[in-house]
Amino acid sequence: MSDVIAKIPTDLSIGGRWQPASDGARFDVADPATGEVIASVASGSAEDATAAVAAADGAAAAWRETSPRERADVLRRAYQAMTDRQEELAEVIVRESGKSWNDAVGELKYAAEFYRWYGEEAVRAIGGISHAPAGDKRILSLHRPVGVSVLVTPWNFPAAMATRKIAPALAAGCTVVLKPASDTPLTALLLAEMLTEAGAPDGVVNVLPSRRSGATVGTMLADPRVRKVSFTGSTEVGRMLLEQAAQQILNCSMELGGNAPFVVLADADIDAAVEGALVAKMRNGGESCIAANRFLVHDSVAQEFADKLAQRMGALKLGPGMDRGNDVGPVINEGAREEIAGMVRDSAAAGAKVLVGGNSPAGPGWFYEPTVLARVDHDDPLLDHEIFGPVAPVTTFTTEDQAIELANDTEFGLAAYVYSGDLARGLRTCEAIEAGIVGLNRGFVSDPAAPFGGMKQSGLGREGAQDGMLEFLETQYIAADW
Ligand code: NDP
């Protein structure tokens, strides 16, 4: 075991204390590049979940009374610690998630920025006073912390999905219990330790790894002391949590699945579109909810685009993320690799042409080659699935209206990308697409200062920007005369 991994506390972090699960249960964490177990982590029980809520509730009154400046200072120190310890954190992320070194460093910069941005946002008092239309009354609207918040995060961005929730929650004055994904609990545990060092009082941030996610999260959502759930993950689990949250009428933020179209109009700069496609598809090895999932390319430029993309994808170096020269790491686990390989096999059998890739290399780890499929049929089931891996299916359209119709032909509406040489045409197309985030002539859209979230079944609410802080605040209106 590396020194960095060996030093991470692997128990539950509840009320500022590290403790084993109430029944002693633990689970293994594996390195996707080798399949080897790298750590054993405490697996929280329903009893531990109740204890974590009690700790967050116990710390809530004092935390909401701290000055915004004090909360901002904690977040600023946490930002500084993440920045200073970037190498150490990158190793943890690479080892537990499999992503490339560059992707881990990119994630960490993004993740730390949420602490900095919300540290700055904590001291911007929002609220207002206005006259009622009749002129004789005042309307005061104030914001206050929503209360104890349960945060549930996925494995694909173990740091950024956690800080994107923790930072606005703490800035708003809420205390939290974070349930990280079981594939990647180590980063969250290290972040908990760093937040304590940054001055977060005991009980403000509790971290509860657990293989028993249904039981632990279910217990917390049923606890009347909890007032908020913020979830990032699959639409399927999000739907279940919404049902559970309905019992206590919890405030809900849901960042769910995506199926992003990448639309290349006939007048696009094809070289720029290929570069953007590489980022939109291959950032995080394709394991991103905003990853370009369907390449919709005008038929006059489709061949050129697919050939150039295949050339760039074929040149990417596949290998363990700890070797900093590699561009693409393994996917998260064997099941994910089999699912991706099956989708590509079925698509090829249905007539798609494999321009590059399409294989699982022999040897240890869950690697899958960067793959481009051309001439994918509009009815191919591949286009309905979130691929979550390094596979780019290219299909064609003939008119702008058809491109929009195809782009919107999904129950998801998280991200989309549009390439066009004409700004007005590009913007018109962006506005016609039902997605919460659209990149216009850009493959990289994530920004802590921008509102991130989905339409349709991709979710509810926004993270990042002032919108993200409002998710952890509620409004009180005071009717007053003076
Ligand atoms: P899951 O929905 O399976 O898991 C997400 C989290 O929910 C994990 O912490 C998991 O715990 C937990 N969980 C799983 N089942 C339950 C349950 N029954 N009750 C309570 N919690 C549960 O998604 P993945 O982790 O597999 O992530 C991939 C999915 O997440 C993709 O669909 C992707 O699009 C989406 N995603 C969305 C993002 C967004 O911002 N919109 C960002 C990143 C991913 P455990 O690991 O222990 O099972």
Side-chain angles (χ1 to χ4, degrees):
M1 195 191 294
S2 83
D3 283 354
V4 167
I5 303 284
K7 278 194 296 195
I8 300 174
T10 53
D11 281 339
L12 316 173
S13 175
I14 298 179
R17 285 186 40 237
W18 294 98
Q19 55 191 71
S22 62
D23 56 3
R26 301 187 75 79
F27 64 96
D28 289 340
V29 180
D31 179 345
T34 60
E36 284 167 13
V37 172
I38 54 170
S40 162
V41 171
S43 181
S45 62
E47 202 178 306
D48 295 317
T50 300
V53 169
D57 186 52
W63 183 244
R64 65 180 286 164
E65 292 307 323
T66 54
S67 69
R69 178 60 69 201
E70 280 175 73
R71 300 201 292 268
D73 285 345
V74 170
L75 290 171
R76 189 180 38 75
R77 287 192 292 268
Y79 163 78
Q80 198 55 51
M82 274 190 88
T83 306
D84 294 345
R85 293 169 69 179
Q86 185 172 285
E87 289 269 313
E88 177 189 347
L89 277 158
E91 178 171 343
V92 180
I93 291 181
V94 169
R95 296 293 305 284
E96 67 175 352
S97 77
K99 68 179 67 179
S100 73
W101 185 268
N102 281 343
D103 277 333
V105 169
E107 176 185 348
L108 282 167
K109 289 185 175 150
Y110 179 54
E113 197 56 36
F114 284 103
Y115 285 153
R116 180 157 70 165
W117 206 87
Y118 282 106
E120 290 160 352
E121 198 63 9
V123 295
R124 312 270 167 258
I126 45 176
I129 303 178
S130 58
H131 282 283
D136 57 342
K137 297 187 174 55
R138 306 292 197 283
I139 295 169
L140 277 71
S141 60
L142 312 173
H143 288 102
R144 49 201 248 170
V146 67
V148 172
S149 301
V150 171
L151 317 177
V152 184
T153 51
W155 49 262
N156 57 347
F157 292 96
M161 296 303 102
T163 60
R164 193 159 81 174
K165 298 184 190 303
I166 293 170
L170 264 53
C174 297
T175 58
V176 305
V177 181
L178 169 68
K179 209 303 284 169
S182 299
D183 282 320
T184 57
L186 299 173
T187 306
L189 291 166
L190 186 51
L191 289 179
E193 186 181 61
M194 290 167 70
L195 277 160
T196 302
E197 286 166 12
D202 293 349
V204 169
V205 178
N206 306 278
V207 178
L208 186 80
S210 176
R211 263 280 174 225
R212 297 169 275 190
S213 48
T216 48
V217 175
T219 298
M220 291 193 279
L221 300 197
D223 191 314
R225 293 171 292 187
V226 169
R227 290 310 316 144
K228 163 95 194 173
V229 56
S230 176
F231 171 75
T232 298
S234 60
T235 297
E236 187 190 357
V237 173
R239 189 175 287 117
M240 271 169 27
L241 299 190
L242 281 170
E243 279 179 22
Q244 293 170 19
Q247 300 310 311
Q248 305 277 351
I249 317 289
L250 296 185
N251 180 316
C252 296
S253 301
M254 295 276 146
E255 298 285 355
L256 308 176
N259 182 1
F262 188 104
V263 179
V264 183
L265 298 175
D267 60 6
D269 174 336
I270 298 304
D271 290 333
V274 168
E275 289 311 307
L278 211 63
V279 176
K281 177 75 249 179
M282 293 306 294
R283 174 169 170 247
N284 223 45
E287 293 177 308
S288 158
C289 50
I290 55 170
N293 207 54
R294 299 172 288 147
F295 290 85
L296 311 177
V297 188
H298 191 269
D299 60 2
S300 63
V301 292
Q303 184 155 1
E304 181 190 355
F305 175 86
D307 288 345
K308 286 182 167 170
L309 182 62
Q311 202 212 347
R312 296 285 275 117
M313 291 274 277
L316 294 173
K317 270 184 80 183
L318 185 64
M322 288 307 291
D323 176 346
R324 300 186 188 196
N326 289 327
D327 301 304
V328 186
V331 297
I332 189 70
N333 54 38
E334 186 169 18
R337 178 165 77 164
E338 276 173 11
E339 210 179 316
I340 293 163
M343 284 192 255
V344 171
R345 253 194 323 270
D346 291 350
S347 190
K353 188 166 166 21
V354 182
L355 294 185
V356 70
N359 295 302
S360 305
W366 319 126
F367 293 94
Y368 193 80
E369 292 173 353
T371 299
V372 178
L373 297 168
R375 300 206 293 264
V376 176
D377 197 82
H378 290 161
D379 297 329
D380 192 320
L382 178 67
L383 303 180
D384 293 331
H385 286 106
E386 193 171 22
I387 300 169
F388 242 65
V391 176
V394 181
T395 187
T396 61
F397 64 86
T398 48
T399 65
E400 222 171 287
D401 285 349
Q402 190 193 12
I404 291 163
E405 195 181 315
L406 289 168
N408 289 337
D409 186 19
T410 166
E411 71 265 32
F412 297 110
L414 186 57
Y417 304 86
V418 174
Y419 271 76
S420 171
D422 177 335
L423 184 62
R425 196 167 172 219
L427 282 169
R428 203 167 57 230
T429 309
C430 291
E431 286 186 4
I433 294 178
E434 296 156 349
I437 305 159
V438 191
L440 175 57
N441 294 330
R442 272 182 60 176
F444 185 81
V445 291
S446 297
D447 189 328
F452 184 109
M455 296 179 179
K456 303 201 286 193
Q457 292 193 31
S458 286
L460 299 170
R462 294 293 180 269
E463 293 191 310
Q466 195 187 53
D467 309 49
M469 185 142 153
L470 287 172
E471 301 279 324
F472 289 94
L473 291 167
E474 57 191 354
T475 307
Q476 183 178 46
Y477 151 54
I478 300 178
D481 292 340
W482 70 78

